Amino acid sequence: MHPSLPHDPGNGGRDGAPQSSGRVPITSITDALLGTQARRVAVAAACGLLASLAFPPVGAWWLSWVVLAPLLAALARCTGMRQAVVPAYAFGVATWAVCVPWIGVSVASFLQSPIGWVAWVLLCGIQGLWYAAWGALAWRICQRPGLRAALALAASWTLMEWARTLGALAMPWCLLSHTQYEVLPVIQAASLMGAGLISFCIVLSNASIWLAARPGNGARLVQALRAAVPVGAVGCLLTYGWVSLADGDGRHADALPPIRITAMQPNVNTNPLGVEGHIARREAVVVLPTRAAPDRPFVVAWPESSAEDVAGDLTEKSLFAEAARLTRAWQIIGSGGATPDGRPTNSAFVMSPRGEIVARYDKRHLVPFGEWTPARWLFVPLERWFRFVEDDVAGTSDGVLLIDGLRIGALICFESVIPALARRSTARGATLLLNLTNDSWAGRSSALEQHLAITVFRSVEMRRPMVVAGLTGPTASISPYGRIERLPPYELGLLTTSVTPRTDRTPYLLWGNAPLLTLCIALLAMGLLPAWGRPRR
């Protein structure tokens, strides 16, 4: 090229400075925060710490609607899929580390050794792998920013959370939707497609914020059109919620006559139980029925671990039989049990007002390492130092207890976090749900409130009232719309409430996760496909 001609676009001009291409340059703040891999990992971990504050006990629910945007910015700045895995993993580990330290408390207390905190470290590390897998997929999606990317990011996150609810090792804790359990207009949409629909909208909001903040993100009209979809989705979510809540203030057409249920809270710590715990547990069976009798309940619910073996121990059976005669009510008792060949079960026994055991339910979903040991042969060398519990036998029923015409869907402890179990019981005719739980193994921790937050979604998804009887709490009554009436935890007490069983069938009850999964798979495929139209130069 002749020296007198303008600069050569191939070498950046006479002074070597790059020429403007019409795009807004990346800000120095973004470069400072995300310019290196170490900084991206630090930002992702900080986002994880903030995300944990959206869950109980802090409950800053609004954080979940914005905190993923910086994480997406960090993933988009990575140079490859392998590099994106690291900040995503850091986000997941940081979130879990702050949310579930009670895992370390419970295992250390059970083993009577600080080495139990290794369980907390391992759980956080394992759960972080889910986020790492999502991060690799998210990086690929972020390479094609636009409305399709925002929808695909929300879809991929929702699929990741759904996968965590599957199988015997399922651990569906810390789902984004759970941060909203007290925001009633938002959570009503769970009756349509489950709690995953709320997570989808939350991630869509975060992805839209990330897109709007990207430098050189197109004309204002394009940005406005991109924002219309997430704003419209959240608007529809809230509108449906407000309409549902207005409908729920009156008597529903599918409601049955109300009944009175008393949920007992013995306030006994079973980790470890000890001699004092045995005494306190039996004293509660004597004291609480005298308080409940004036309320004249139809059903009295005793939490998980209220008895050692109410069917086989004559002393325990006589105590609860006296409680049944005193209250003149049906008793549902959380107790250990046994199969005909003597193998242990975690069960709920139904005792008539005359003191006779007439039915039982055996827990279907057992807690790994708490009620059964996966791949037990791997841990044989450790048995000289640690005591592994004998495996319980899982139940096979649909979880419906029939009591004088009333059909109760029974869930024991951890089962209330598995949506499929409540759905199965409701599909078999349950008109109300009952959760018997023992969270005392987590001590005085956030586990109680987190468990209650998850349980709320089972009521909303099924549009069934839920009564929760907790050994130390939470003891609560949850309406079909998520309103909570509760007892203070760690106190001896009882909660008598009038609940209205219902027979209506929600879209989620009819179709489960299929509609949302189909939508998410379609949106994810669209986000991963090459952009259509003319290729950009």
Side-chain angles (χ1 to χ4, degrees):
M1 179 176 290
H2 195 278
S4 64
L5 292 179
H7 71 274
D8 182 356
N11 62 18
R14 287 191 300 269
D15 57 1
Q19 300 300 305
S20 174
S21 62
R23 297 181 180 179
V24 180
I26 297 176
T27 64
S28 58
I29 295 178
T30 304
D31 282 334
L33 290 176
L34 306 175
T36 67
Q37 177 71 341
R39 292 173 182 174
R40 289 190 286 269
V41 172
V43 167
C47 289
L49 296 176
L50 289 174
S52 68
L53 301 181
F55 295 92
V58 177
W61 58 267
W62 53 271
L63 273 174
S64 63
W65 292 87
V66 298
V67 76
L68 292 183
L71 173 64
L72 293 173
L75 295 178
R77 289 294 298 272
C78 292
T79 58
M81 186 178 292
R82 292 183 180 179
Q83 196 179 76
V85 165
V86 181
Y89 184 76
F91 173 89
V93 170
T95 302
W96 277 78
V98 178
C99 281
V100 297
W102 47 264
I103 291 288
V105 172
S106 59
V107 179
S109 178
F110 177 76
L111 296 178
Q112 296 294 294
S113 170
I115 200 171
W117 282 92
V118 172
W120 170 67
V121 175
L122 291 175
L123 179 65
C124 294
I126 292 170
Q127 293 299 322
L129 296 175
W130 288 104
Y131 298 85
W134 172 81
L137 193 59
W139 177 85
R140 178 63 65 186
I141 297 169
C142 288
Q143 304 313 300
R144 303 185 181 92
L147 178 58
R148 289 198 302 163
L151 293 169
L153 287 168
S156 60
W157 183 283
T158 305
L159 291 171
M160 180 266 288
E161 287 194 342
W162 167 76
R164 287 171 47 200
T165 69
L166 304 178
L169 300 177
M171 184 61 177
W173 217 267
C174 296
L175 306 185
L176 281 181
S177 55
H178 299 161
T179 63
Q180 310 296 303
Y181 79 106
E182 291 184 308
V183 190
L184 297 186
V186 171
I187 67 173
Q188 301 310 310
S191 66
L192 299 176
M193 296 185 185
L197 181 59
I198 289 93
S199 291
F200 179 92
C201 291
I202 292 173
V203 180
L204 183 60
S205 167
N206 281 274
S208 301
I209 294 172
W210 163 66
L211 283 173
R214 280 178 60 91
N217 199 31
R220 292 182 179 179
L221 178 60
V222 175
Q223 293 186 38
L225 291 174
R226 289 173 177 170
V229 171
V231 169
V234 175
C236 291
L237 194 78
L238 292 173
T239 301
Y240 178 78
W242 287 321
V243 171
S244 298
L245 291 172
D247 176 63
D249 289 335
R251 183 175 173 82
H252 198 272
D254 296 294
L256 299 175
I259 62 169
R260 294 180 70 78
I261 295 182
T262 295
M264 300 299 199
Q265 184 172 292
N267 192 35
V268 176
N269 187 355
T270 60
N271 189 16
L273 182 60
V275 176
E276 293 182 357
H278 281 286
I279 296 173
R281 188 164 61 179
R282 296 196 175 190
E283 286 181 347
V285 182
V286 174
V287 172
L288 291 178
T290 61
R291 300 184 187 178
D295 295 329
R296 303 185 67 181
F298 178 68
V299 173
V300 173
W302 295 87
E304 178 189 26
S305 306
S306 290
E308 197 76 28
D309 183 6
V310 72
D313 188 313
L314 294 179
T315 302
E316 284 190 327
K317 185 177 180 180
S318 64
L319 284 173
F320 283 98
E322 180 60 28
R325 286 189 287 268
L326 182 64
T327 58
R328 299 180 181 179
W330 294 84
Q331 312 287 308
I332 302 179
I333 307 159
S335 171
T339 62
D341 59 356
R343 299 165 67 194
T345 63
N346 189 352
S347 305
F349 292 88
V350 178
M351 179 178 284
S352 72
R354 295 183 178 182
E356 302 167 345
I357 294 178
V358 296
R360 68 182 286 178
Y361 162 71
D362 296 334
K363 188 177 182 182
R364 292 168 282 177
H365 188 97
L366 304 177
V367 178
F369 299 103
E371 294 168 323
W372 70 288
T373 304
R376 179 180 287 271
W377 59 273
L378 289 175
F379 302 96
V380 171
L382 301 178
E383 289 184 347
R384 66 170 63 183
W385 297 288
F386 303 111
R387 176 174 59 90
F388 291 93
V389 297
E390 182 182 358
D391 288 352
D392 283 357
V393 177
T396 57
S397 73
D398 53 22
V400 178
L401 297 174
L402 183 61
I403 300 177
D404 198 15
L406 178 66
R407 302 180 69 86
I408 299 177
L411 302 165
I412 296 179
C413 198
F414 190 76
E415 290 187 319
S416 67
V417 310
I418 308 294
L421 298 178
R423 181 170 175 253
R424 180 181 174 187
S425 297
T426 309
R428 297 298 191 275
T431 56
L432 68 90
L433 300 173
L434 174 65
N435 182 218
L436 308 180
T437 183
N438 172 17
D439 289 338
S440 70
W441 43 266
R444 292 179 175 266
S445 69
S446 59
L448 278 67
E449 189 70 16
Q450 290 172 2
H451 192 181
L452 181 63
I454 303 171
T455 303
V456 165
F457 285 88
R458 305 295 85 82
S459 286
V460 178
E461 288 166 348
M462 301 298 128
R463 288 292 188 231
R464 296 291 187 270
M466 168 88 78
V467 175
V468 181
L471 201 64
T472 57
T475 296
S477 174
I478 307 170
S479 80
Y481 300 89
R483 295 185 177 93
I484 305 172
E485 177 187 3
R486 73 183 85 184
L487 283 181
Y490 315 113
E491 295 179 6
L492 178 71
L494 57 86
L495 175 66
T496 299
T497 182
S498 179
V499 300
T500 304
R502 288 176 47 160
T503 60
D504 47 326
R505 302 174 71 82
T506 65
Y508 184 73
L509 173 59
L510 292 172
W511 301 306
N513 294 306
L516 183 61
L517 295 180
T518 302
L519 174 65
C520 288
I521 291 171
L523 292 175
L524 180 59
M526 290 175 59
L528 292 175
L529 288 173
W532 54 71
R534 293 177 58 188
R536 291 183 296 177
R537 293 182 180 179

